[in-house]
Amino acid sequence: MGDAADAAMDAVQRRLMFEDECILVDESDRVVGHESKYNCHLMEKIESENLLHRAFSVFLFNSKYELLLQQRSATKVTFPLVWTNTCCSHPLYRESELIDENALGVRNAAQRKLLDELGIPADDVPVDQFIALGRILYKAPSDGKWGEHELDYLLFIVRDVGVHPNHDEVADIRYVNREQLKELLRKADAGEEGLKLSPWFRLVVDNFLFSWWDHVEKGTLKEAVDMKTIHKLT
């Protein structure tokens, strides 16, 4: 179970790596099995076995249409201390999170992880308030050992919520408007303040986010939904 280098892994992250079973899918998002979170994030396994797992990325906006961002904790195995969207994780291989109809399994998982990572109560983020806008498929190495290969559901929700970050998962949070996000992007591109963004967040920003933000402000998010296409992004 892992190698000697894994002994230094944070105990919480280690437990999640070995106990959580991700949903394996093919490139058409058909379920083909399940595998530990550990194996799903080993670049060696990703490359040799083409392991692809289902994931989700939540974009939560408040009533001022500001986007909640999080900085991943220093103990995260993949992409520690990078800034990213509100919550990024995986539906697990369990009945409630395998429901394909209207992406209900993924929405159930998103509600669970918003509580786990950010302390956002389930009542603040009702499952029926998440809008699944689209899906992307991407691969991104984190370092020499770890990485991501995900079919990622992009979930948007507009709610005012209570936030109480779990510091095993989250180092910092901030709400940003469009201009503040653009400044964050500029700093990341310039290498200022050691600021880094997650690769999946950057792909969504570069391909979709600002046009979808228009729909957030207009209350027309459902017009932007495209769950038929799986966008392969690099």
Side-chain angles (χ1 to χ4, degrees), residues 21-23 54-56 89-93 97-98 105-106 109 112:
E21 291 279 319
C22 294
I23 301 166
R54 194 174 279 172
F56 63 83
S89 192
H90 321 92
L92 300 180
Y93 194 79
E97 297 183 12
L98 279 162
V106 175
R112 171 178 59 82

Side-chain angles (χ1 to χ4, degrees), residues 44-94:
E44 178 185 355
K45 287 272 190 183
I46 290 170
E47 298 292 1
S48 66
E49 301 179 27
N50 195 35
L51 292 185
L52 174 66
H53 62 276
R54 194 174 279 172
F56 63 83
S57 291
V58 174
F59 292 75
L60 183 149
F61 295 81
N62 62 19
S63 57
K64 295 189 287 186
Y65 308 125
E66 296 169 325
L67 173 62
L68 179 60
L69 304 183
Q70 69 154 276
Q71 184 184 31
R72 292 162 66 85
S73 78
T75 59
K76 296 290 278 189
V77 174
T78 56
F79 303 99
L81 293 176
V82 304
W83 282 91
T84 192
N85 48 282
T86 312
C87 180
C88 328
S89 192
H90 321 92
L92 300 180
Y93 194 79
R94 57 175 65 163

Side-chain angles (χ1 to χ4, degrees), residues 159-172:
R159 302 280 293 187
D160 288 323
V161 299
V163 184
H164 308 281
N166 170 3
H167 294 295
D168 285 323
E169 297 283 343
V170 178
D172 199 2

